[in-house]
Amino acid sequence: MRGDETTVKILVAGPFSVGKTTFIGTMSQIRPLKTEEVMTAASTAVDDLRGRPDKHETTVALDFGRLSLNDKLVLYLFGAPGQERFFPILSHLAHGALGALVLVDTRHLAQSYPVMGVVEQLGLSYAIAVNQFPDSPPYTADELRAAMDLPADAPLVFCDARDQPSSKQALIRLVSYLLTLLPESTP
């Protein structure tokens, strides 16, 4: 980092256990900051672990990663916890963000709607990244757009949060979209 780069804050949002921490870990060029804690018996009443037998930790504050797209543009990736009880943290993390990448899981699609609602209430432009798990039911982009009632211009991409090229394409699609929303006089 030289100090003359343009930095852009991107919020990575999505419901509980959708792959936000994995996504940031995959994309970050620095060791990512994670605030994961072991899930306790107290969370079993509020965190739906059906279909997630290997989930033992959850983000309780944020994840942070840094990615240089080129010599002049650096993305700061802020991952928000996905449970509704942490939505105030999501709102705070969104402050100053240019936009959001909302990860969704087609196995639990309805769990994405509250997070999308918060992102929309915050006035953030966003793209949807469908994180493809091995047992995810197959849906077309058109089927998902209809199910999520996405605005026509909101990007929807498929990715694997564990795979860097796939995840990179999701970020490129989001940033490309965000650039189309900037005033023409912006360099």
Side-chain angles (χ1 to χ4, degrees), residues 33-107:
L33 168 70
K34 300 178 185 180
T35 60
E36 290 192 310
E37 292 294 332
V38 174
M39 297 178 69
T40 65
S43 73
T44 59
V46 291
D47 294 329
D48 183 359
L49 293 173
R50 286 176 291 170
R52 301 169 175 114
D54 298 327
K55 182 76 172 167
H56 303 289
E57 295 181 324
T58 190
T59 300
V60 295
L62 72 127
D63 297 315
F64 174 78
R66 181 183 183 281
L67 173 63
S68 297
L69 292 183
N70 57 39
D71 290 344
K72 295 285 186 187
L73 184 59
V74 177
L75 298 183
Y76 290 148
L77 306 173
F78 285 80
Q83 297 96 318
E84 289 190 42
R85 67 183 178 276
F86 294 129
F87 281 2
I89 295 171
L90 186 153
S91 297
H92 290 296
L93 290 175
H95 182 73
L98 185 61
L101 185 68
V102 179
L103 288 169
V104 302
D105 176 353
T106 59
R107 300 171 304 172

Side-chain angles (χ1 to χ4, degrees), residues 9-52:
K9 181 178 182 180
I10 299 294
L11 181 67
V12 178
F16 171 70
S17 191
V18 75
K20 300 174 299 290
T21 300
T22 300
F23 183 91
I24 290 174
T26 296
M27 293 310 303
S28 183
Q29 294 170 327
I30 62 171
R31 192 174 105 203
L33 168 70
K34 300 178 185 180
T35 60
E36 290 192 310
E37 292 294 332
V38 174
M39 297 178 69
T40 65
S43 73
T44 59
V46 291
D47 294 329
D48 183 359
L49 293 173
R50 286 176 291 170
R52 301 169 175 114

